[in-house]
Amino acid sequence: MAESKQIKIHVEHLKKDFGKLQVLREINVDIREGEVVVVLGPSGSGKSTFLRCLNRLEDITDGRVVVDGFDMTAKKTDINRARENVGMVFQHFNLFNNMDVLGNMMLAPVELKKASKAEAKEKAVQLLTRVGMQEKLHAYPAQLSGGQKQRVAIARALAMNPDVMLFDEPTSALDPEMVGEVLAVMKQLAADGMTMVVVTHEIGFAREVADRVIFMENGYIIEEGTPDEVIDHPKEQRTIDFLSKVL
């Protein structure tokens, strides 16, 4: 039973259609506590849709998704409550432009978790310090670089004390010189034992930090294994072709 307790994300026979377009065809995967899983694949392979199905930002056509004990596919599940355990970091930051950094940080804990404003502020300052953004408490998003915005977005997701963090191409909208500062924060999270699913094209990050790499194509998982197995010694021709273009 100890084995089953450690599974944080359980996905079986997951399918997702947009009208007649099959985006996810048959996804089966288990992700364990503290595991860092990097999802690679060409554009249109279903990576981001897979991620968005994990916290029901996309409705699921068929199959079953259980995250941190919540069955995301069951009608009776309180999705908002389930999402409180799942932090999500988007490609384009999704910060509220009309609030300063502190306001962005405090909004969800105060509204959803019923933290007092004082508690939420203290936690916000701690987390912003952790991502090197404590000097920018009262800056507005428009005053921040892309890398700074993304570090705030990661801290904001952490403010809800999630058990799982999902990253949807967190560095693809950044200038190259800002990518490193965001990846450094993610590496530290991984080192601290956070369960993470990361859709990215950062092969170096996958090699260094991932416990497991999943390669997707046409809505299927084509290949999965350790970074050494998938990135350095891929078996499938489609994986080999993809990596030859990005490495």
Side-chain angles (χ1 to χ4, degrees):
M1 282 303 287
E3 281 292 298
S4 62
K5 270 190 183 154
Q6 298 168 344
I7 291 175
K8 278 284 184 192
I9 300 174
H10 171 69
V11 179
E12 59 180 273
H13 307 306
L14 171 61
K15 295 178 181 153
K16 172 64 185 171
D17 302 338
F18 291 105
K20 293 204 168 126
L21 180 68
Q22 288 185 307
V23 180
L24 298 175
R25 296 162 191 263
E26 180 74 14
I27 301 290
N28 295 287
V29 69
D30 283 331
I31 294 167
R32 296 181 179 277
E33 188 169 358
E35 199 176 10
V36 178
V37 175
V38 168
V39 185
L40 300 175
S43 295
S45 58
K47 308 182 299 291
S48 290
T49 302
F50 165 62
L51 204 66
R52 291 168 70 86
C53 285
L54 295 182
N55 63 355
R56 276 280 304 280
L57 284 176
E58 296 289 356
D59 283 329
I60 291 161
T61 304
D62 200 8
R64 189 155 174 258
V65 175
V66 182
V67 179
D68 210 23
F70 287 91
D71 187 339
M72 305 303 262
T73 32
K75 287 203 165 46
K76 65 180 190 301
T77 298
D78 179 344
I79 290 300
N80 290 327
R81 171 114 191 283
R83 281 189 189 135
E84 288 177 16
N85 293 346
V86 184
M88 178 98 180
V89 177
F90 299 88
Q91 185 175 351
H92 294 291
F93 329 123
N94 290 22
L95 297 176
F96 295 106
N97 290 322
N98 61 335
M99 293 182 184
D100 66 7
V101 165
L102 188 59
N104 268 282
M105 291 289 300
M106 290 173 59
L107 183 68
V110 170
E111 297 274 318
L112 296 175
K113 286 271 182 164
K114 314 299 187 270
S116 71
K117 287 196 168 165
E119 288 165 345
K121 183 174 181 180
E122 185 183 346
K123 177 92 192 255
V125 173
Q126 279 173 1
L127 288 169
L128 289 166
T129 303
R130 186 171 167 188
V131 301
M133 290 296 294
Q134 66 276 21
E135 320 265 281
K136 299 287 188 183
L137 274 182
H138 299 297
Y140 282 79
Q143 299 168 299
L144 303 178
S145 72
Q148 290 172 325
K149 287 179 194 171
Q150 196 59 293
R151 284 187 282 157
V152 171
I154 293 171
R156 181 181 63 175
L158 292 171
M160 294 294 288
N161 292 323
D163 289 324
V164 174
M165 286 280 281
L166 308 178
F167 293 85
D168 190 8
E169 301 202 21
T171 58
S172 62
L174 301 180
D175 292 333
E177 68 268 23
M178 293 170 190
V179 169
E181 65 190 60
V182 173
L183 292 181
V185 171
M186 293 169 64
K187 285 174 189 172
Q188 188 53 55
L189 271 182
D192 294 343
M194 176 64 76
T195 307
M196 295 164 59
V197 186
V198 185
V199 170
T200 185
H201 292 294
E202 298 292 336
I203 304 291
F205 174 83
R207 216 184 233 132
E208 187 182 340
V209 182
D211 298 297
R212 187 153 40 123
V213 175
I214 289 173
F215 179 77
M216 288 182 66
E217 162 87 342
N218 288 334
Y220 293 104
I221 292 176
I222 301 288
E223 190 160 0
E224 67 177 302
T226 63
D228 181 62
E229 288 165 343
V230 176
I231 296 170
D232 297 322
H233 302 96
K235 296 184 181 65
E236 299 295 328
Q237 189 59 45
R238 188 62 196 91
T239 318
I240 294 166
D241 292 346
F242 173 80
L243 289 167
S244 73
K245 292 189 179 76
V246 297
L247 284 176

